[in-house]
Structures are given as C-alpha cells and as structure tokens.
Amino acid sequence: MSMTPQEYQELCNKASPSSKSLVRIPTAFAVGGLICVIGQLLLAFYGSLGVSEEQAPAWVSITLIFLSALLTGLRVYDNIARYAGAGTLVPITGFANAVASPALEFKSEGLVLGLAAKMFVIAGPVIVYGLAASVAYGLLLVLASLL
C-alpha cells in the first residue's frame, strides 16, 4: 500500500487525539502552584512550631512526600493527576507518586519480585539521570572555579 505524504498526515491526524492545551496548561499551572502554596503554608506552619529555618524545608518535603504517597494509596492522587496533568508530576509529589504507584500495582507479585523489584520502574531513570546531571554540573562548577 503506497501513500502520499498528505494521505499519511490525514491518517495520523484522524488517529491522534485532539490536544486540549488551552485548558490543560492553565490547569497544570494552577494545580502545581497550589501544591507550592501548600508547601509554603507548611513552611510557615513548621516555622511557627519552632522548627529552625534550616530544618523546616526538609520537614515540608517529608510532609509533601507522605501526603502524595498516602493519596496514591487511597487512589486519589491518580484522579488529581488525570485532571491536572504535569501540575502534579513536576513537583516532589509526582516523584513520590511515581514510586508508590508501581509498588501498589505489583504488590500481588510478592515483596521481592513484585513490590521491591518494580518500585523504581518509573522513578529509577529519574534518579539515574538526576545523579548523572548533578555529577556533570559539579564537574563543570569545579572546572569553572579553577579558571
């Protein structure tokens, strides 16, 4: 079967879902911003409890990770992510969801071959490339300081 480029493009356009970028982008921005606002409120809350300025950001991260994993376990986070898209995937909460989701999905296969082996299926590449990038940036910083 021979197709012209125009016929192929028409076939692709029919098969591809339409993008709702005008709705999705502002929604993702708003939900991601809301997560950041929650983080700021938590920072102020921990500061009011007397947690030091150096330790409060760590407590905020721990709380956001816990809430994300809890909402993933309760099957709520996926519904929020379906609505908000990248707004829930980009912050630290998305990383926690990426670790918790496969753990829940594969727990029936056992603790070792299911839960432990599959937990980092999604988050693993993020860790690997994040570490590689941090080493590369660190080397660049050292080289720049020597010049």
Side-chain angles (χ1 to χ4, degrees):
M1 175 181 199
S2 180
M3 270 192 226
T4 66
Q6 290 85 8
E7 291 173 331
Y8 179 74
Q9 186 62 43
E10 287 176 26
L11 187 65
C12 287
N13 289 341
K14 278 187 196 177
S16 299
S18 62
S19 175
K20 299 177 183 174
S21 296
L22 291 176
V23 174
R24 289 202 168 265
I25 292 171
T27 303
F29 181 79
V31 172
L34 179 63
I35 292 171
C36 293
V37 167
I38 292 169
Q40 282 299 126
L41 291 172
L42 286 169
L43 190 64
F45 173 71
Y46 287 130
S48 72
L49 294 178
V51 177
S52 71
E53 285 186 29
E54 293 83 27
Q55 290 184 355
W59 282 102
V60 170
S61 295
I62 291 167
T63 304
L64 289 174
I65 289 169
F66 170 76
L67 290 173
S68 175
L70 178 66
L71 291 174
T72 299
L74 295 173
R75 309 273 188 220
V76 173
Y77 197 89
D78 291 337
N79 293 332
I80 297 169
R82 198 170 295 118
Y83 171 74
T88 58
L89 300 177
V90 175
I92 195 169
T93 55
F95 184 76
N97 175 259
V99 172
S101 288
L104 291 170
E105 185 176 343
F106 294 104
K107 71 180 180 180
S108 63
E109 294 181 20
L111 289 176
V112 175
L113 297 177
L115 187 116
K118 304 287 186 177
M119 186 181 290
F120 292 101
V121 167
I122 297 171
V126 175
I127 295 170
V128 169
Y129 288 110
L131 285 172
S134 67
V135 168
Y137 297 145
L139 290 174
L140 288 173
L141 184 62
V142 168
L143 291 174
S145 69
L146 294 176
L147 298 176

mmCIF file of all heavy atoms in Angstrom, residues 58-93:
data_model
loop_
_atom_site.group_PDB
_atom_site.id
_atom_site.type_symbol
_atom_site.label_atom_id
_atom_site.label_comp_id
_atom_site.label_asym_id
_atom_site.label_seq_id
_atom_site.Cartn_x
_atom_site.Cartn_y
_atom_site.Cartn_z
ATOM 1 N N ALA A 58 13.124 20.607 54.955
ATOM 2 C CA ALA A 58 13.166 19.142 54.952
ATOM 3 C C ALA A 58 11.841 18.571 55.467
ATOM 4 O O ALA A 58 11.318 17.599 54.909
ATOM 5 C CB ALA A 58 14.324 18.635 55.805
ATOM 6 N N TRP A 59 11.289 19.190 56.493
ATOM 7 C CA TRP A 59 10.004 18.735 57.024
ATOM 8 C C TRP A 59 8.875 18.947 56.010
ATOM 9 O O TRP A 59 7.961 18.133 55.908
ATOM 10 C CB TRP A 59 9.680 19.443 58.340
ATOM 11 C CG TRP A 59 10.448 18.842 59.471
ATOM 12 C CD1 TRP A 59 11.567 19.339 60.059
ATOM 13 C CD2 TRP A 59 10.164 17.598 60.121
ATOM 14 N NE1 TRP A 59 12.003 18.476 61.037
ATOM 15 C CE2 TRP A 59 11.152 17.408 61.105
ATOM 16 C CE3 TRP A 59 9.182 16.640 59.980
ATOM 17 C CZ2 TRP A 59 11.183 16.291 61.928
ATOM 18 C CZ3 TRP A 59 9.198 15.523 60.800
ATOM 19 C CH2 TRP A 59 10.190 15.362 61.753
ATOM 20 N N VAL A 60 8.957 20.038 55.263
ATOM 21 C CA VAL A 60 7.960 20.290 54.213
ATOM 22 C C VAL A 60 8.051 19.194 53.160
ATOM 23 O O VAL A 60 7.033 18.636 52.740
ATOM 24 C CB VAL A 60 8.154 21.684 53.586
ATOM 25 C CG1 VAL A 60 7.288 21.853 52.349
ATOM 26 C CG2 VAL A 60 7.842 22.770 54.603
ATOM 27 N N SER A 61 9.263 18.880 52.715
ATOM 28 C CA SER A 61 9.442 17.823 51.712
ATOM 29 C C SER A 61 8.930 16.488 52.214
ATOM 30 O O SER A 61 8.234 15.765 51.487
ATOM 31 C CB SER A 61 10.923 17.698 51.329
ATOM 32 O OG SER A 61 11.372 18.860 50.697
ATOM 33 N N ILE A 62 9.250 16.161 53.452
ATOM 34 C CA ILE A 62 8.786 14.901 54.037
ATOM 35 C C ILE A 62 7.263 14.855 54.080
ATOM 36 O O ILE A 62 6.640 13.846 53.741
ATOM 37 C CB ILE A 62 9.387 14.712 55.455
ATOM 38 C CG1 ILE A 62 10.885 14.451 55.348
ATOM 39 C CG2 ILE A 62 8.691 13.585 56.204
ATOM 40 C CD1 ILE A 62 11.625 14.567 56.666
ATOM 41 N N THR A 63 6.654 15.961 54.471
ATOM 42 C CA THR A 63 5.186 16.015 54.559
ATOM 43 C C THR A 63 4.547 15.881 53.183
ATOM 44 O O THR A 63 3.583 15.125 53.016
ATOM 45 C CB THR A 63 4.739 17.332 55.225
ATOM 46 O OG1 THR A 63 5.371 17.445 56.503
ATOM 47 C CG2 THR A 63 3.233 17.373 55.394
ATOM 48 N N LEU A 64 5.082 16.593 52.183
ATOM 49 C CA LEU A 64 4.521 16.505 50.839
ATOM 50 C C LEU A 64 4.683 15.099 50.253
ATOM 51 O O LEU A 64 3.781 14.588 49.583
ATOM 52 C CB LEU A 64 5.158 17.550 49.922
ATOM 53 C CG LEU A 64 4.757 18.996 50.186
ATOM 54 C CD1 LEU A 64 5.566 19.954 49.321
ATOM 55 C CD2 LEU A 64 3.265 19.199 49.973
ATOM 56 N N ILE A 65 5.822 14.467 50.508
ATOM 57 C CA ILE A 65 6.041 13.095 50.037
ATOM 58 C C ILE A 65 5.061 12.150 50.721
ATOM 59 O O ILE A 65 4.448 11.298 50.073
ATOM 60 C CB ILE A 65 7.503 12.666 50.282
ATOM 61 C CG1 ILE A 65 8.423 13.420 49.322
ATOM 62 C CG2 ILE A 65 7.675 11.164 50.113
ATOM 63 C CD1 ILE A 65 9.889 13.282 49.644
ATOM 64 N N PHE A 66 4.889 12.306 52.023
ATOM 65 C CA PHE A 66 3.950 11.455 52.756
ATOM 66 C C PHE A 66 2.526 11.626 52.236
ATOM 67 O O PHE A 66 1.817 10.642 51.983
ATOM 68 C CB PHE A 66 3.996 11.767 54.258
ATOM 69 C CG PHE A 66 2.895 11.091 55.021
ATOM 70 C CD1 PHE A 66 2.960 9.740 55.313
ATOM 71 C CD2 PHE A 66 1.775 11.810 55.429
ATOM 72 C CE1 PHE A 66 1.935 9.107 55.997
ATOM 73 C CE2 PHE A 66 0.741 11.190 56.118
ATOM 74 C CZ PHE A 66 0.828 9.828 56.403
ATOM 75 N N LEU A 67 2.105 12.882 52.062
ATOM 76 C CA LEU A 67 0.741 13.132 51.582
ATOM 77 C C LEU A 67 0.534 12.565 50.178
ATOM 78 O O LEU A 67 -0.511 11.988 49.874
ATOM 79 C CB LEU A 67 0.432 14.624 51.606
ATOM 80 C CG LEU A 67 0.277 15.254 52.992
ATOM 81 C CD1 LEU A 67 0.142 16.766 52.876
ATOM 82 C CD2 LEU A 67 -0.901 14.651 53.730
ATOM 83 N N SER A 68 1.539 12.708 49.338
ATOM 84 C CA SER A 68 1.436 12.166 47.979
ATOM 85 C C SER A 68 1.336 10.649 47.997
ATOM 86 O O SER A 68 0.506 10.063 47.288
ATOM 87 C CB SER A 68 2.650 12.603 47.165
ATOM 88 O OG SER A 68 2.632 12.004 45.898
ATOM 89 N N ALA A 69 2.166 9.992 48.801
ATOM 90 C CA ALA A 69 2.111 8.530 48.885
ATOM 91 C C ALA A 69 0.783 8.069 49.491
ATOM 92 O O ALA A 69 0.195 7.077 49.031
ATOM 93 C CB ALA A 69 3.282 8.007 49.714
ATOM 94 N N LEU A 70 0.306 8.795 50.494
ATOM 95 C CA LEU A 70 -0.984 8.454 51.101
ATOM 96 C C LEU A 70 -2.120 8.598 50.091
ATOM 97 O O LEU A 70 -2.961 7.692 49.950
ATOM 98 C CB LEU A 70 -1.249 9.346 52.322
ATOM 99 C CG LEU A 70 -2.585 9.147 53.030
ATOM 100 C CD1 LEU A 70 -2.634 7.761 53.678
ATOM 101 C CD2 LEU A 70 -2.800 10.225 54.076
ATOM 102 N N LEU A 71 -2.157 9.708 49.374
ATOM 103 C CA LEU A 71 -3.201 9.918 48.378
ATOM 104 C C LEU A 71 -3.089 8.917 47.224
ATOM 105 O O LEU A 71 -4.102 8.515 46.653
ATOM 106 C CB LEU A 71 -3.158 11.350 47.843
ATOM 107 C CG LEU A 71 -3.566 12.439 48.836
ATOM 108 C CD1 LEU A 71 -3.357 13.817 48.240
ATOM 109 C CD2 LEU A 71 -5.003 12.250 49.288
ATOM 110 N N THR A 72 -1.874 8.488 46.910
ATOM 111 C CA THR A 72 -1.696 7.444 45.896
ATOM 112 C C THR A 72 -2.279 6.137 46.388
ATOM 113 O O THR A 72 -2.988 5.441 45.654
ATOM 114 C CB THR A 72 -0.206 7.272 45.543
ATOM 115 O OG1 THR A 72 0.288 8.504 45.014
ATOM 116 C CG2 THR A 72 -0.006 6.161 44.522
ATOM 117 N N GLY A 73 -1.995 5.802 47.637
ATOM 118 C CA GLY A 73 -2.525 4.575 48.223
ATOM 119 C C GLY A 73 -4.039 4.569 48.323
ATOM 120 O O GLY A 73 -4.675 3.517 48.203
ATOM 121 N N LEU A 74 -4.617 5.729 48.520
ATOM 122 C CA LEU A 74 -6.081 5.847 48.603
ATOM 123 C C LEU A 74 -6.720 6.000 47.228
ATOM 124 O O LEU A 74 -7.930 6.193 47.126
ATOM 125 C CB LEU A 74 -6.459 7.046 49.483
ATOM 126 C CG LEU A 74 -6.057 6.945 50.946
ATOM 127 C CD1 LEU A 74 -6.336 8.260 51.669
ATOM 128 C CD2 LEU A 74 -6.759 5.787 51.625
ATOM 129 N N ARG A 75 -5.903 5.947 46.168
ATOM 130 C CA ARG A 75 -6.356 6.054 44.771
ATOM 131 C C ARG A 75 -6.955 7.435 44.464
ATOM 132 O O ARG A 75 -7.797 7.567 43.597
ATOM 133 C CB ARG A 75 -7.359 4.970 44.410
ATOM 134 C CG ARG A 75 -6.931 3.588 44.742
ATOM 135 C CD ARG A 75 -6.138 3.024 43.621
ATOM 136 N NE ARG A 75 -5.878 1.588 43.887
ATOM 137 C CZ ARG A 75 -4.736 1.010 43.633
ATOM 138 N NH1 ARG A 75 -3.754 1.702 43.128
ATOM 139 N NH2 ARG A 75 -4.561 -0.257 43.874
ATOM 140 N N VAL A 76 -6.499 8.455 45.159
ATOM 141 C CA VAL A 76 -6.981 9.819 44.933
ATOM 142 C C VAL A 76 -6.008 10.583 44.029
ATOM 143 O O VAL A 76 -6.424 11.336 43.159
ATOM 144 C CB VAL A 76 -7.169 10.562 46.277
ATOM 145 C CG1 VAL A 76 -7.494 12.025 46.071
ATOM 146 C CG2 VAL A 76 -8.232 9.880 47.105
ATOM 147 N N TYR A 77 -4.716 10.360 44.225
ATOM 148 C CA TYR A 77 -3.703 11.126 43.506
ATOM 149 C C TYR A 77 -3.807 10.929 41.997
ATOM 150 O O TYR A 77 -3.629 11.872 41.228
ATOM 151 C CB TYR A 77 -2.298 10.743 43.988
ATOM 152 C CG TYR A 77 -1.252 11.764 43.610
ATOM 153 C CD1 TYR A 77 -0.966 12.834 44.443
ATOM 154 C CD2 TYR A 77 -0.554 11.676 42.409
ATOM 155 C CE1 TYR A 77 -0.022 13.782 44.102
ATOM 156 C CE2 TYR A 77 0.393 12.620 42.063
ATOM 157 C CZ TYR A 77 0.657 13.659 42.907
ATOM 158 O OH TYR A 77 1.585 14.601 42.558
ATOM 159 N N ASP A 78 -4.091 9.708 41.558
ATOM 160 C CA ASP A 78 -4.212 9.449 40.123
ATOM 161 C C ASP A 78 -5.364 10.233 39.506
ATOM 162 O O ASP A 78 -5.263 10.698 38.368
ATOM 163 C CB ASP A 78 -4.390 7.953 39.856
ATOM 164 C CG ASP A 78 -3.127 7.167 40.171
ATOM 165 O OD1 ASP A 78 -2.041 7.778 40.172
ATOM 166 O OD2 ASP A 78 -3.230 5.956 40.417
ATOM 167 N N ASN A 79 -6.453 10.387 40.241
ATOM 168 C CA ASN A 79 -7.578 11.191 39.734
ATOM 169 C C ASN A 79 -7.196 12.662 39.630
ATOM 170 O O ASN A 79 -7.574 13.337 38.671
ATOM 171 C CB ASN A 79 -8.804 11.017 40.627
ATOM 172 C CG ASN A 79 -9.372 9.622 40.561
ATOM 173 O OD1 ASN A 79 -9.244 8.935 39.556
ATOM 174 N ND2 ASN A 79 -9.987 9.196 41.648
ATOM 175 N N ILE A 80 -6.456 13.147 40.611
ATOM 176 C CA ILE A 80 -5.989 14.533 40.567
ATOM 177 C C ILE A 80 -5.032 14.703 39.382
ATOM 178 O O ILE A 80 -5.133 15.667 38.625
ATOM 179 C CB ILE A 80 -5.301 14.930 41.891
ATOM 180 C CG1 ILE A 80 -6.291 14.869 43.048
ATOM 181 C CG2 ILE A 80 -4.679 16.318 41.783
ATOM 182 C CD1 ILE A 80 -5.648 14.997 44.419
ATOM 183 N N ALA A 81 -4.115 13.750 39.198
ATOM 184 C CA ALA A 81 -3.145 13.828 38.097
ATOM 185 C C ALA A 81 -3.833 13.742 36.740
ATOM 186 O O ALA A 81 -3.402 14.396 35.785
ATOM 187 C CB ALA A 81 -2.111 12.716 38.240
ATOM 188 N N ARG A 82 -4.888 12.969 36.647
ATOM 189 C CA ARG A 82 -5.624 12.864 35.388
ATOM 190 C C ARG A 82 -6.230 14.216 35.016
ATOM 191 O O ARG A 82 -6.269 14.600 33.862
ATOM 192 C CB ARG A 82 -6.722 11.804 35.520
ATOM 193 C CG ARG A 82 -7.253 11.302 34.199
ATOM 194 C CD ARG A 82 -8.148 10.090 34.364
ATOM 195 N NE ARG A 82 -7.412 8.936 34.870
ATOM 196 C CZ ARG A 82 -7.664 8.331 36.034
ATOM 197 N NH1 ARG A 82 -8.635 8.743 36.813
ATOM 198 N NH2 ARG A 82 -6.944 7.303 36.419
ATOM 199 N N TYR A 83 -6.645 14.953 36.012
ATOM 200 C CA TYR A 83 -7.234 16.277 35.798
ATOM 201 C C TYR A 83 -6.153 17.339 35.595
ATOM 202 O O TYR A 83 -6.258 18.178 34.717
ATOM 203 C CB TYR A 83 -8.118 16.637 37.002
ATOM 204 C CG TYR A 83 -8.610 18.045 37.012
ATOM 205 C CD1 TYR A 83 -9.621 18.465 36.156
ATOM 206 C CD2 TYR A 83 -8.061 18.982 37.874
ATOM 207 C CE1 TYR A 83 -10.068 19.774 36.160
ATOM 208 C CE2 TYR A 83 -8.502 20.288 37.887
ATOM 209 C CZ TYR A 83 -9.506 20.674 37.040
ATOM 210 O OH TYR A 83 -9.942 21.971 37.042
ATOM 211 N N ALA A 84 -5.098 17.287 36.405
ATOM 212 C CA ALA A 84 -4.118 18.368 36.438
ATOM 213 C C ALA A 84 -2.895 18.136 35.572
ATOM 214 O O ALA A 84 -2.131 19.064 35.336
ATOM 215 C CB ALA A 84 -3.673 18.603 37.874
ATOM 216 N N GLY A 85 -2.668 16.926 35.121
ATOM 217 C CA GLY A 85 -1.530 16.648 34.251
ATOM 218 C C GLY A 85 -0.196 16.919 34.916
ATOM 219 O O GLY A 85 0.060 16.507 36.036
ATOM 220 N N ALA A 86 0.664 17.644 34.202
ATOM 221 C CA ALA A 86 2.028 17.887 34.665
ATOM 222 C C ALA A 86 2.084 18.703 35.951
ATOM 223 O O ALA A 86 3.111 18.709 36.619
ATOM 224 C CB ALA A 86 2.830 18.592 33.584
ATOM 225 N N GLY A 87 1.015 19.370 36.303
ATOM 226 C CA GLY A 87 0.996 20.131 37.548
ATOM 227 C C GLY A 87 1.217 19.261 38.774
ATOM 228 O O GLY A 87 1.706 19.724 39.792
ATOM 229 N N THR A 88 0.865 17.977 38.678
ATOM 230 C CA THR A 88 1.099 17.061 39.794
ATOM 231 C C THR A 88 2.343 16.213 39.590
ATOM 232 O O THR A 88 2.808 15.571 40.525
ATOM 233 C CB THR A 88 -0.093 16.105 39.975
ATOM 234 O OG1 THR A 88 -0.287 15.388 38.752
ATOM 235 C CG2 THR A 88 -1.350 16.840 40.343
ATOM 236 N N LEU A 89 2.873 16.199 38.378
ATOM 237 C CA LEU A 89 4.012 15.334 38.096
ATOM 238 C C LEU A 89 5.346 16.012 38.320
ATOM 239 O O LEU A 89 6.333 15.350 38.609
ATOM 240 C CB LEU A 89 3.933 14.833 36.648
ATOM 241 C CG LEU A 89 2.683 14.035 36.310
ATOM 242 C CD1 LEU A 89 2.684 13.657 34.833
ATOM 243 C CD2 LEU A 89 2.563 12.803 37.175
ATOM 244 N N VAL A 90 5.393 17.320 38.170
ATOM 245 C CA VAL A 90 6.655 18.023 38.244
ATOM 246 C C VAL A 90 7.154 18.214 39.685
ATOM 247 O O VAL A 90 8.319 17.986 39.954
ATOM 248 C CB VAL A 90 6.566 19.370 37.486
ATOM 249 C CG1 VAL A 90 7.825 20.177 37.647
ATOM 250 C CG2 VAL A 90 6.290 19.103 36.008
ATOM 251 N N PRO A 91 6.315 18.603 40.632
ATOM 252 C CA PRO A 91 6.831 18.790 41.996
ATOM 253 C C PRO A 91 7.252 17.467 42.636
ATOM 254 O O PRO A 91 7.072 16.396 42.062
ATOM 255 C CB PRO A 91 5.643 19.389 42.756
ATOM 256 C CG PRO A 91 4.685 19.843 41.729
ATOM 257 C CD PRO A 91 4.916 18.983 40.531
ATOM 258 N N ILE A 92 7.789 17.542 43.807
ATOM 259 C CA ILE A 92 8.268 16.368 44.538
ATOM 260 C C ILE A 92 7.142 15.353 44.763
ATOM 261 O O ILE A 92 7.384 14.158 44.875
ATOM 262 C CB ILE A 92 8.924 16.800 45.874
ATOM 263 C CG1 ILE A 92 9.737 15.648 46.462
ATOM 264 C CG2 ILE A 92 7.881 17.296 46.857
ATOM 265 C CD1 ILE A 92 10.613 16.069 47.612
ATOM 266 N N THR A 93 5.916 15.836 44.760
ATOM 267 C CA THR A 93 4.779 14.933 44.944
ATOM 268 C C THR A 93 4.652 13.952 43.790
ATOM 269 O O THR A 93 4.261 12.807 43.974
ATOM 270 C CB THR A 93 3.476 15.736 45.076
ATOM 271 O OG1 THR A 93 3.341 16.594 43.933
ATOM 272 C CG2 THR A 93 3.474 16.572 46.335
#
